[in-house]
């Protein structure tokens, strides 16, 4: 029913989706800023809060978009390496944040699928706030719905109180709308206002807005997606363990496995057999990121992994 409206600019549906997200999260519409995927939110944050004199802090490895864009516009990037358990090293990140413009904190982290609990995140934000009061903290919760760690909680309540931090969310993961490009930021109105000038007008199309509005509050579907992801993830992790490879505990819809060999060559061999795995994430050059698909897809993929790793 929305298709006939595609000829018009999406003004009303932007307001309607914003209101529906706000209702679902228990915040006010003024706390929400829509974007063309959370990618647009990340890019506008880099523009708004960094400069050649105010670095971006982005762990290594993490989702690369913010760091890549920072380098493109001439912003220096500080990249503290993840720790031995492949978790974001919060002490190293806090040290790097002194004098920085923005910290990018993906939680759970992509590609490592590791997560920090509520107390650790709050402590980190507080530490950065005290040691570098002008530094902004962006907490990317793209994989929020998949987290099973009981110590975890969303940082949205903190973002409503603290003007020096905000949260990014997306419809690309558990909602299955990666190709439709809808995301949003959650924060205080004055924080949102600092980024808005860098956002495109009407950057979310009419059909994507309608789809997002229809699915944002569908808790039954989200629960079903989480259950399917868990089952397929457990199956895949057990398969790798049976082959003698250690799987990093995952709180996302993907997992990292140290296959003890060059991941680029492994990826190329898998593609020849019809299975694609994640791109390399230096410096973890022997770790492969395996995305979790349906159970049928993972059963097929595991057979490819077995034959390739046995070669």
């Amino acid at each position: 029913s929305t298709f006939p409206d595609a000829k018009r600019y999406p003004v009303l549906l932007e307001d309607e989706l914003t209101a529906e997200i706000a209702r679902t999260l228990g915040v006010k519409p003024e706390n929400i800023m829509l974007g063309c995927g959370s990618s647009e939110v990340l890019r506008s944050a880099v523009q708004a809060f960094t400069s050649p004199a105010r670095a971006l802090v982005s762990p290594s490895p993490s989702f690369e978009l913010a760091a890549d864009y920072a380098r493109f516009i001439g912003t220096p990037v500080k990249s503290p390496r993840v720790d031995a358990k492949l978790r974001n090293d919060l002490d190293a990140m806090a040290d790097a944040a002194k004098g920085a413009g923005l910290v990018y904190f993906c939680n759970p982290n992509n590609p490592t699928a590791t997560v920090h609990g509520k107390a650790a995140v709050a402590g980190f934000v507080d530490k950065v706030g005290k040691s570098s009061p002008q530094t902004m903290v962006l907490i990317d919760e793209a994989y929020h719905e998949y987290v099973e760690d009981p110590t975890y909680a969303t940082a949205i309540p903190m973002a409503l109180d603290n003007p020096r931090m905000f949260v990014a969310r997306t419809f690309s993961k558990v909602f299955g709308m990666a190709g439709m490009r809808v995301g949003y930021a959650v924060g205080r109105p004055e924080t949102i206002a600092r980024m808005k000038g860098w956002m495109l007008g009407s950057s979310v199309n009419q059909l994507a807005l309608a789809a997002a509005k229809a699915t944002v509050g569908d808790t039954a579907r989200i629960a079903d997606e989480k259950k399917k992801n868990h089952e397929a993830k457990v199956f895949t992790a057990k398969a790798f363990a049976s082959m003698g490879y250690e799987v990093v505990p995952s709180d996302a819809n993907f997992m990292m496995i140290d296959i003890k060999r060059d991941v680029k060559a492994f990826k190329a061999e898998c593609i020849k057999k019809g299975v694609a795995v994640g791109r390399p994430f230096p410096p973890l050059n022997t770790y492969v990121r395996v995305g979790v698909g349906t159970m049928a897809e993972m059963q097929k993929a595991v057979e490819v992994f077995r034959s390739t790793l046995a070669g």
Side-chain angles (χ1 to χ4, degrees):
S1 64
T2 307
F3 191 75
D5 295 329
K7 65 182 179 288
R8 306 208 179 275
Y9 289 110
V11 178
L12 289 177
L13 261 178
E14 286 176 351
D15 293 343
E16 290 173 14
L17 175 58
T18 299
E20 191 64 18
I21 293 170
R23 186 190 67 77
T24 302
L25 296 178
V27 304
K28 295 177 181 177
E30 67 198 42
N31 298 121
I32 304 293
M33 180 181 75
L34 299 179
C36 184
S38 56
S39 298
E40 190 184 13
V41 173
L42 270 55
R43 198 177 75 168
S44 72
V46 171
Q47 285 273 193
F49 303 124
T50 75
S51 72
R54 295 183 63 76
L56 170 74
V57 177
S58 182
S60 177
S62 191
F63 182 49
E64 312 98 330
L65 185 144
D68 287 349
Y69 189 66
R71 293 187 188 100
F72 175 70
I73 64 169
T75 289
V77 179
K78 297 180 180 180
S79 301
R81 187 165 177 165
V82 295
D83 67 19
K85 294 183 178 179
L86 303 195
R87 285 155 46 105
N88 283 333
D89 186 334
L90 300 189
D91 288 337
M93 286 169 64
D95 287 342
K98 290 170 185 170
L102 177 68
V103 177
Y104 176 67
F105 182 177
C106 192
N107 195 46
N109 189 39
N110 177 11
T112 59
T114 52
V115 73
H116 282 285
K118 179 181 178 181
V121 174
F124 172 77
V125 171
D126 185 57
K127 187 175 182 180
V128 171
K130 287 174 178 171
S131 64
S132 188
Q134 300 306 309
T135 302
M136 299 294 295
V137 178
L138 160 51
I139 300 181
D140 186 345
E141 294 184 349
Y143 305 97
H144 161 77
E145 291 85 0
Y146 295 112
V147 180
E148 297 179 19
D149 186 326
T151 69
Y152 168 84
T154 177
I156 286 174
M158 275 197 295
L160 300 179
D161 288 333
N162 187 343
R164 292 191 305 273
M165 64 157 293
F166 59 101
V167 170
R169 289 278 188 91
T170 183
F171 284 87
S172 294
K173 310 304 174 187
V174 78
F175 295 102
M177 290 173 51
M180 298 193 82
R181 315 308 302 134
V182 192
Y184 57 95
V186 189
R188 292 181 60 84
E190 62 268 34
T191 305
I192 298 288
R194 293 176 67 185
M195 290 185 285
K196 269 197 169 168
W198 297 103
M199 303 286 286
L200 287 170
S202 298
S203 63
V204 186
N205 73 72
Q206 193 84 301
L207 303 183
L209 289 166
K213 182 186 172 190
T215 195
V216 65
D218 191 349
T219 53
R221 183 190 160 207
I222 295 168
D224 186 55
E225 290 292 330
K226 287 164 63 175
K227 179 173 178 285
K228 288 175 180 173
N229 178 74
H230 174 83
E231 290 168 352
K233 188 163 62 173
V234 168
F235 165 79
T236 307
K238 283 182 177 175
F240 273 105
S242 74
M243 292 181 250
Y245 296 98
E246 183 182 349
V247 181
V248 179
S250 165
D251 277 282
N253 62 335
F254 53 86
M255 61 188 75
M256 284 289 261
I257 306 102
D258 187 357
I259 56 171
K260 309 292 185 183
R261 65 179 74 184
D262 177 55
V263 74
K264 282 186 180 178
F266 176 75
K267 178 180 172 72
E269 285 301 309
C270 288
I271 285 175
K272 287 179 188 174
K273 299 172 185 176
V275 172
V277 297
R279 60 196 178 276
F281 283 88
L284 304 180
N285 296 315
T286 64
Y287 284 80
V288 61
R289 190 190 74 169
V290 173
V292 179
T294 65
M295 184 64 85
E297 288 170 338
M298 300 320 293
Q299 287 167 344
K300 175 188 174 184
V302 160
E303 292 312 307
V304 169
F305 299 151
R306 279 190 197 280
S307 65
T308 306
L309 290 168

PDB file of all heavy atoms in Angstrom, residues 18 22 26-33 159-160 184-189 192:
ATOM      1  N   THR A  18      10.011   7.595  13.273  1.00  0.00           N
ATOM      2  CA  THR A  18      10.694   8.160  14.443  1.00  0.00           C
ATOM      3  C   THR A  18       9.835   7.981  15.690  1.00  0.00           C
ATOM      4  O   THR A  18      10.335   7.565  16.754  1.00  0.00           O
ATOM      5  CB  THR A  18      11.002   9.650  14.218  1.00  0.00           C
ATOM      6  OG1 THR A  18      11.866   9.776  13.084  1.00  0.00           O
ATOM      7  CG2 THR A  18      11.669  10.271  15.435  1.00  0.00           C
ATOM      8  N   ALA A  22      10.696   5.608  18.931  1.00  0.00           N
ATOM      9  CA  ALA A  22      10.681   6.231  20.255  1.00  0.00           C
ATOM     10  C   ALA A  22       9.746   5.484  21.200  1.00  0.00           C
ATOM     11  O   ALA A  22      10.091   5.215  22.357  1.00  0.00           O
ATOM     12  CB  ALA A  22      10.275   7.702  20.137  1.00  0.00           C
ATOM     13  N   GLY A  26      10.910   3.558  24.488  1.00  0.00           N
ATOM     14  CA  GLY A  26      10.551   4.314  25.680  1.00  0.00           C
ATOM     15  C   GLY A  26      11.287   5.629  25.791  1.00  0.00           C
ATOM     16  O   GLY A  26      11.627   6.084  26.888  1.00  0.00           O
ATOM     17  N   VAL A  27      11.573   6.260  24.630  1.00  0.00           N
ATOM     18  CA  VAL A  27      12.227   7.570  24.611  1.00  0.00           C
ATOM     19  C   VAL A  27      11.307   8.548  23.878  1.00  0.00           C
ATOM     20  O   VAL A  27      10.197   8.206  23.493  1.00  0.00           O
ATOM     21  CB  VAL A  27      13.615   7.501  23.924  1.00  0.00           C
ATOM     22  CG1 VAL A  27      14.485   6.463  24.613  1.00  0.00           C
ATOM     23  CG2 VAL A  27      13.504   7.187  22.429  1.00  0.00           C
ATOM     24  N   LYS A  28      11.772   9.779  23.682  1.00  0.00           N
ATOM     25  CA  LYS A  28      10.985  10.777  22.977  1.00  0.00           C
ATOM     26  C   LYS A  28      11.466  10.883  21.525  1.00  0.00           C
ATOM     27  O   LYS A  28      12.649  10.626  21.236  1.00  0.00           O
ATOM     28  CB  LYS A  28      11.125  12.137  23.661  1.00  0.00           C
ATOM     29  CG  LYS A  28      10.546  12.166  25.072  1.00  0.00           C
ATOM     30  CD  LYS A  28      10.785  13.525  25.718  1.00  0.00           C
ATOM     31  CE  LYS A  28      10.234  13.555  27.150  1.00  0.00           C
ATOM     32  NZ  LYS A  28      10.527  14.844  27.823  1.00  0.00           N
ATOM     33  N   PRO A  29      10.587  11.268  20.608  1.00  0.00           N
ATOM     34  CA  PRO A  29      11.022  11.429  19.216  1.00  0.00           C
ATOM     35  C   PRO A  29      12.222  12.353  19.062  1.00  0.00           C
ATOM     36  O   PRO A  29      13.056  12.136  18.175  1.00  0.00           O
ATOM     37  CB  PRO A  29       9.768  12.017  18.529  1.00  0.00           C
ATOM     38  CG  PRO A  29       8.620  11.486  19.333  1.00  0.00           C
ATOM     39  CD  PRO A  29       9.126  11.466  20.759  1.00  0.00           C
ATOM     40  N   GLU A  30      12.355  13.325  19.945  1.00  0.00           N
ATOM     41  CA  GLU A  30      13.482  14.259  19.848  1.00  0.00           C
ATOM     42  C   GLU A  30      14.819  13.593  20.165  1.00  0.00           C
ATOM     43  O   GLU A  30      15.888  14.159  19.903  1.00  0.00           O
ATOM     44  CB  GLU A  30      13.265  15.438  20.796  1.00  0.00           C
ATOM     45  CG  GLU A  30      13.303  15.058  22.261  1.00  0.00           C
ATOM     46  CD  GLU A  30      12.677  16.112  23.179  1.00  0.00           C
ATOM     47  OE1 GLU A  30      11.617  16.657  22.829  1.00  0.00           O
ATOM     48  OE2 GLU A  30      13.270  16.386  24.236  1.00  0.00           O
ATOM     49  N   ASN A  31      14.752  12.364  20.709  1.00  0.00           N
ATOM     50  CA  ASN A  31      15.972  11.610  21.015  1.00  0.00           C
ATOM     51  C   ASN A  31      16.429  10.730  19.852  1.00  0.00           C
ATOM     52  O   ASN A  31      17.446  10.044  19.963  1.00  0.00           O
ATOM     53  CB  ASN A  31      15.772  10.710  22.243  1.00  0.00           C
ATOM     54  CG  ASN A  31      15.466  11.470  23.504  1.00  0.00           C
ATOM     55  OD1 ASN A  31      14.421  11.262  24.123  1.00  0.00           O
ATOM     56  ND2 ASN A  31      16.362  12.356  23.894  1.00  0.00           N
ATOM     57  N   ILE A  32      15.692  10.747  18.741  1.00  0.00           N
ATOM     58  CA  ILE A  32      15.957   9.857  17.614  1.00  0.00           C
ATOM     59  C   ILE A  32      16.368  10.649  16.379  1.00  0.00           C
ATOM     60  O   ILE A  32      15.750  11.663  16.056  1.00  0.00           O
ATOM     61  CB  ILE A  32      14.707   9.015  17.267  1.00  0.00           C
ATOM     62  CG1 ILE A  32      14.205   8.230  18.485  1.00  0.00           C
ATOM     63  CG2 ILE A  32      14.980   8.084  16.083  1.00  0.00           C
ATOM     64  CD1 ILE A  32      15.122   7.142  18.959  1.00  0.00           C
ATOM     65  N   MET A  33      17.380  10.163  15.663  1.00  0.00           N
ATOM     66  CA  MET A  33      17.753  10.712  14.363  1.00  0.00           C
ATOM     67  C   MET A  33      17.890   9.562  13.378  1.00  0.00           C
ATOM     68  O   MET A  33      18.722   8.664  13.568  1.00  0.00           O
ATOM     69  CB  MET A  33      19.079  11.482  14.453  1.00  0.00           C
ATOM     70  CG  MET A  33      19.531  12.074  13.132  1.00  0.00           C
ATOM     71  SD  MET A  33      21.126  12.955  13.266  1.00  0.00           S
ATOM     72  CE  MET A  33      22.276  11.568  13.358  1.00  0.00           C
ATOM     73  N   ALA A 159      22.718   7.363  27.371  1.00  0.00           N
ATOM     74  CA  ALA A 159      22.735   8.357  26.298  1.00  0.00           C
ATOM     75  C   ALA A 159      21.667   9.428  26.499  1.00  0.00           C
ATOM     76  O   ALA A 159      21.809  10.555  26.015  1.00  0.00           O
ATOM     77  CB  ALA A 159      22.536   7.672  24.948  1.00  0.00           C
ATOM     78  N   LEU A 160      20.604   9.093  27.205  1.00  0.00           N
ATOM     79  CA  LEU A 160      19.547  10.084  27.473  1.00  0.00           C
ATOM     80  C   LEU A 160      19.976  11.079  28.546  1.00  0.00           C
ATOM     81  O   LEU A 160      19.430  12.181  28.618  1.00  0.00           O
ATOM     82  CB  LEU A 160      18.263   9.370  27.916  1.00  0.00           C
ATOM     83  CG  LEU A 160      17.658   8.385  26.919  1.00  0.00           C
ATOM     84  CD1 LEU A 160      16.411   7.753  27.501  1.00  0.00           C
ATOM     85  CD2 LEU A 160      17.343   9.065  25.589  1.00  0.00           C
ATOM     86  N   TYR A 184      19.519   4.452  12.916  1.00  0.00           N
ATOM     87  CA  TYR A 184      19.184   5.647  13.690  1.00  0.00           C
ATOM     88  C   TYR A 184      20.160   5.830  14.835  1.00  0.00           C
ATOM     89  O   TYR A 184      20.854   4.897  15.244  1.00  0.00           O
ATOM     90  CB  TYR A 184      17.747   5.597  14.212  1.00  0.00           C
ATOM     91  CG  TYR A 184      17.405   4.394  15.070  1.00  0.00           C
ATOM     92  CD1 TYR A 184      17.482   4.447  16.464  1.00  0.00           C
ATOM     93  CD2 TYR A 184      16.963   3.203  14.485  1.00  0.00           C
ATOM     94  CE1 TYR A 184      17.145   3.360  17.240  1.00  0.00           C
ATOM     95  CE2 TYR A 184      16.622   2.103  15.258  1.00  0.00           C
ATOM     96  CZ  TYR A 184      16.713   2.188  16.635  1.00  0.00           C
ATOM     97  OH  TYR A 184      16.386   1.099  17.412  1.00  0.00           O
ATOM     98  N   ALA A 185      20.217   7.065  15.312  1.00  0.00           N
ATOM     99  CA  ALA A 185      20.974   7.406  16.512  1.00  0.00           C
ATOM    100  C   ALA A 185      19.990   7.678  17.637  1.00  0.00           C
ATOM    101  O   ALA A 185      18.863   8.151  17.394  1.00  0.00           O
ATOM    102  CB  ALA A 185      21.837   8.635  16.274  1.00  0.00           C
ATOM    103  N   VAL A 186      20.421   7.385  18.866  1.00  0.00           N
ATOM    104  CA  VAL A 186      19.636   7.705  20.059  1.00  0.00           C
ATOM    105  C   VAL A 186      20.513   8.526  20.990  1.00  0.00           C
ATOM    106  O   VAL A 186      21.623   8.101  21.347  1.00  0.00           O
ATOM    107  CB  VAL A 186      19.167   6.439  20.803  1.00  0.00           C
ATOM    108  CG1 VAL A 186      18.173   6.807  21.904  1.00  0.00           C
ATOM    109  CG2 VAL A 186      18.553   5.425  19.848  1.00  0.00           C
ATOM    110  N   GLY A 187      20.046   9.696  21.363  1.00  0.00           N
ATOM    111  CA  GLY A 187      20.826  10.544  22.256  1.00  0.00           C
ATOM    112  C   GLY A 187      20.041  11.765  22.688  1.00  0.00           C
ATOM    113  O   GLY A 187      18.851  11.906  22.374  1.00  0.00           O
ATOM    114  N   ARG A 188      20.710  12.639  23.391  1.00  0.00           N
ATOM    115  CA  ARG A 188      20.071  13.871  23.823  1.00  0.00           C
ATOM    116  C   ARG A 188      19.863  14.791  22.610  1.00  0.00           C
ATOM    117  O   ARG A 188      20.642  14.763  21.647  1.00  0.00           O
ATOM    118  CB  ARG A 188      20.927  14.563  24.880  1.00  0.00           C
ATOM    119  CG  ARG A 188      20.981  13.798  26.207  1.00  0.00           C
ATOM    120  CD  ARG A 188      21.824  14.520  27.240  1.00  0.00           C
ATOM    121  NE  ARG A 188      21.307  15.840  27.545  1.00  0.00           N
ATOM    122  CZ  ARG A 188      20.325  16.096  28.425  1.00  0.00           C
ATOM    123  NH1 ARG A 188      19.763  15.096  29.073  1.00  0.00           N
ATOM    124  NH2 ARG A 188      19.933  17.319  28.649  1.00  0.00           N
ATOM    125  N   PRO A 189      18.823  15.620  22.622  1.00  0.00           N
ATOM    126  CA  PRO A 189      18.555  16.475  21.464  1.00  0.00           C
ATOM    127  C   PRO A 189      19.740  17.346  21.066  1.00  0.00           C
ATOM    128  O   PRO A 189      20.003  17.531  19.868  1.00  0.00           O
ATOM    129  CB  PRO A 189      17.365  17.327  21.926  1.00  0.00           C
ATOM    130  CG  PRO A 189      16.696  16.526  22.984  1.00  0.00           C
ATOM    131  CD  PRO A 189      17.781  15.759  23.666  1.00  0.00           C
ATOM    132  N   ILE A 192      22.196  15.119  19.166  1.00  0.00           N
ATOM    133  CA  ILE A 192      21.649  14.844  17.830  1.00  0.00           C
ATOM    134  C   ILE A 192      21.822  16.069  16.931  1.00  0.00           C
ATOM    135  O   ILE A 192      22.198  15.949  15.757  1.00  0.00           O
ATOM    136  CB  ILE A 192      20.149  14.490  17.943  1.00  0.00           C
ATOM    137  CG1 ILE A 192      19.932  13.223  18.785  1.00  0.00           C
ATOM    138  CG2 ILE A 192      19.506  14.367  16.568  1.00  0.00           C
ATOM    139  CD1 ILE A 192      20.327  11.940  18.156  1.00  0.00           C
TER     140      ILE A 192
END
